[in-house]
Amino acid sequence: MSLIEVKGLSKSFGSLEVLKNVDLTVEQGERIAIIGGSGCGKSVFLRSLELLETPDKGQIFIDGQEITAKGADIDHIRRSMGMVYQRFYLFSHLDVMDNLCMAPVKLLGMSRAQAEEKAMDLLRQVGLANRAHAFPSVLSGGQQQRIAICRSLMMEPKVLLFDEPTSALDPTMVGEVLAVIRMLAKRSLTMLIVTHEMNFAREVADRILFFADHGIYEQGKPEDIFDRPQKPLTIDFINKIKHFSYEITTRDFDLMEFQGGIQTFGEKYGLKSTHINRLELCCEELIYEMLQNCYDSQNDISLKILISHAESSKETIISLACGGKEYNPFNAPEDDESHLGITIIRQVGKQYSHSFTDGKNKIEIQL
């Protein structure tokens, strides 16, 4: 029997649809990392497993018990799950030992002596045995998050849920928390981890879920998702591809607005000024070349240009789709002065190509 089974989970906030018909099965001992852009529903999905967010529809089974069933003992089912949040939520008026011991004593019937013995063992494992009687206010963010992890482990959960456990930390403290999770990953604990730490996800996870388009857009082994992603949004996310697009429907389009958009795009993503200038020059020459040769004065103009920049490889690609007559600008002779713009593109472009499909000229230039 699967430890977690999700069937048709959907969740909206007003008119904003976040999750739609999400299905997932998690086996005992699996370590799953959940990645994706901000606002794609990762945290909402994780919180839904404990019904901290109430799904609009769908079923969730935890170790064979349906937590979404009418009349389900939600608190009892939740005890098999430990949740580590972005924030630590330690009780500020209690010291570390009291924070760790309160829930297992009250909810599991553990004696105080048993709880303290278990707590000290966990604190030793995360390197905080000497902070057992400190109050949260004197602990660093990394120390507080390590305590929060210990607090979840005190309840002996069957699955640990981590909701971006390092996002609220100073960068200098991220490593200490990830080290604790790596330690737990070596055990048979089942874990679902929402994270922005891609190297960490690759290292500890058996399976990666990439969230987009209201759910699990693509999933697979770490090497499949990070090295061989198959779907467009996954490819863009993994390669950190940023886009700028512009559509032209008239010959007297606003060139200054277009070039200003390229300038803003380039500055935002750290492109060098020389690279931005090449982009502006190539796009301008290509646009006018296609307008001149694909359309006569009676044609409606439809020209779309897309600039894609991969932050990981620093590769920039100009893609152009243009209707009208079939025309390959790269067939122009190199010494033809009437096609000087294409000569310039040949000089600054690493690769370039043209095709004509579905009534459209499609051009791609790699800078």
Side-chain angles (χ1 to χ4, degrees):
M1 181 183 296
S2 303
L3 185 57
I4 298 175
E5 189 170 4
V6 179
K7 299 179 179 180
L9 179 66
S10 297
K11 177 64 180 178
S12 297
F13 295 93
S15 61
L16 177 62
E17 187 176 48
V18 179
L19 301 173
K20 182 178 180 180
N21 296 325
V22 179
D23 297 323
L24 178 67
T25 298
V26 180
E27 302 299 332
Q28 174 70 44
E30 264 200 292
R31 300 180 299 274
I32 294 176
I34 302 174
I35 64 173
S38 297
C40 67
K42 307 182 301 293
S43 293
V44 172
F45 175 76
L46 205 69
R47 290 171 60 84
S48 295
L49 297 181
E50 283 201 313
L51 292 194
L52 298 175
E53 298 288 354
T54 305
D56 298 327
K57 67 174 184 176
Q59 295 175 288
I60 301 170
F61 296 86
I62 307 297
D63 198 22
Q65 301 181 77
E66 185 184 353
I67 195 171
T68 48
K70 186 176 181 180
D73 189 342
I74 295 172
D75 289 337
H76 177 75
I77 298 173
R78 278 177 178 159
R79 291 177 194 174
S80 62
M81 293 182 284
M83 184 75 147
V84 179
Y85 304 90
Q86 297 176 23
R87 298 288 175 179
F88 326 118
Y89 298 119
L90 299 177
F91 292 110
S92 59
H93 65 291
L94 300 177
D95 68 13
V96 167
M97 185 59 70
D98 286 339
N99 265 281
L100 296 183
C101 292
M102 182 170 61
V105 168
K106 288 189 174 182
L107 299 177
L108 299 183
M110 195 179 293
S111 71
R112 177 70 186 205
Q114 289 174 318
E116 289 192 3
E117 182 179 357
K118 183 176 180 65
M120 283 304 302
D121 180 54
L122 290 171
L123 289 173
R124 280 190 289 268
Q125 291 180 47
V126 301
L128 292 174
N130 63 338
R131 309 300 276 167
H133 297 291
F135 283 83
S137 60
V138 302
L139 301 176
S140 70
Q143 290 174 331
Q144 290 188 61
Q145 191 63 294
R146 281 186 276 166
I147 298 300
I149 293 172
C150 289
R151 179 180 56 189
S152 290
L153 292 171
M154 288 291 294
M155 296 297 289
E156 301 179 350
K158 294 180 179 179
V159 58
L160 274 176
L161 310 176
F162 293 89
D163 185 11
E164 298 189 38
T166 61
S167 64
L169 298 177
D170 184 281
T172 61
M173 301 174 187
V174 170
E176 63 192 70
V177 174
L178 296 184
V180 171
I181 302 175
R182 286 189 183 96
M183 176 188 70
L184 297 176
K186 295 177 182 178
R187 305 176 184 179
S188 59
L189 272 173
T190 307
M191 298 193 295
L192 277 73
I193 309 165
V194 172
T195 182
H196 288 293
E197 305 286 343
M198 297 298 104
N199 290 334
F200 167 74
R202 177 195 284 266
E203 179 183 349
V204 304
D206 303 311
R207 184 165 33 137
I208 305 292
L209 309 181
F210 174 66
F211 267 58
D213 277 359
H214 314 302
I216 302 171
Y217 181 78
E218 187 172 352
Q219 61 178 300
K221 295 179 180 179
E223 59 267 28
D224 293 330
I225 297 299
F226 290 113
D227 299 332
R228 298 179 294 275
Q230 299 298 307
K231 302 180 75 173
L233 295 181
T234 318
I235 293 170
D236 284 2
F237 180 82
I238 296 301
N239 293 312
K240 297 182 179 179
I241 297 178
K242 308 301 182 182
H243 299 288
F244 168 76
S245 62
Y246 196 85
E247 185 170 358
I248 295 171
T249 58
T250 176
R251 291 183 184 275
D252 58 347
F253 71 98
D254 192 337
L255 178 62
M256 294 300 102
E257 178 187 62
F258 173 62
Q259 291 189 330
I262 294 177
Q263 183 75 30
T264 300
F265 172 80
E267 291 175 351
K268 181 177 180 179
Y269 296 112
L271 276 64
K272 294 181 180 179
S273 58
T274 53
H275 195 69
I276 296 173
N277 290 338
R278 287 195 196 102
L279 269 175
E280 292 175 339
L281 180 61
C282 285
C283 289
E284 180 180 349
E285 297 295 345
L286 183 60
I287 287 169
Y288 283 118
E289 181 79 15
M290 301 307 286
L291 288 177
Q292 180 179 344
N293 292 280
C294 292
Y295 298 101
D296 56 35
S297 58
Q298 284 77 39
N299 290 136
D300 291 330
I301 291 172
S302 175
L303 189 152
K304 295 181 181 179
I305 196 157
L306 174 70
I307 297 173
S308 305
H309 178 70
E311 292 184 321
S312 55
S313 65
K314 307 302 180 185
E315 178 183 275
T316 305
I317 293 176
I318 301 170
S319 302
L320 179 143
C322 174
K325 294 178 288 188
E326 180 177 359
Y327 175 68
N328 183 354
F330 304 115
N331 285 339
E334 292 192 21
D335 58 354
D336 188 341
E337 292 186 1
S338 64
H339 296 280
L340 182 60
I342 298 305
T343 301
I344 293 172
I345 292 173
R346 286 193 183 107
Q347 291 174 347
V348 301
K350 292 181 181 179
Q351 295 179 359
Y352 43 85
S353 65
H354 169 271
S355 64
F356 187 79
T357 55
D358 300 325
K360 287 188 177 181
N361 296 279
K362 296 182 180 179
I363 292 173
E364 190 168 285
I365 303 168
Q366 179 184 337
L367 297 186

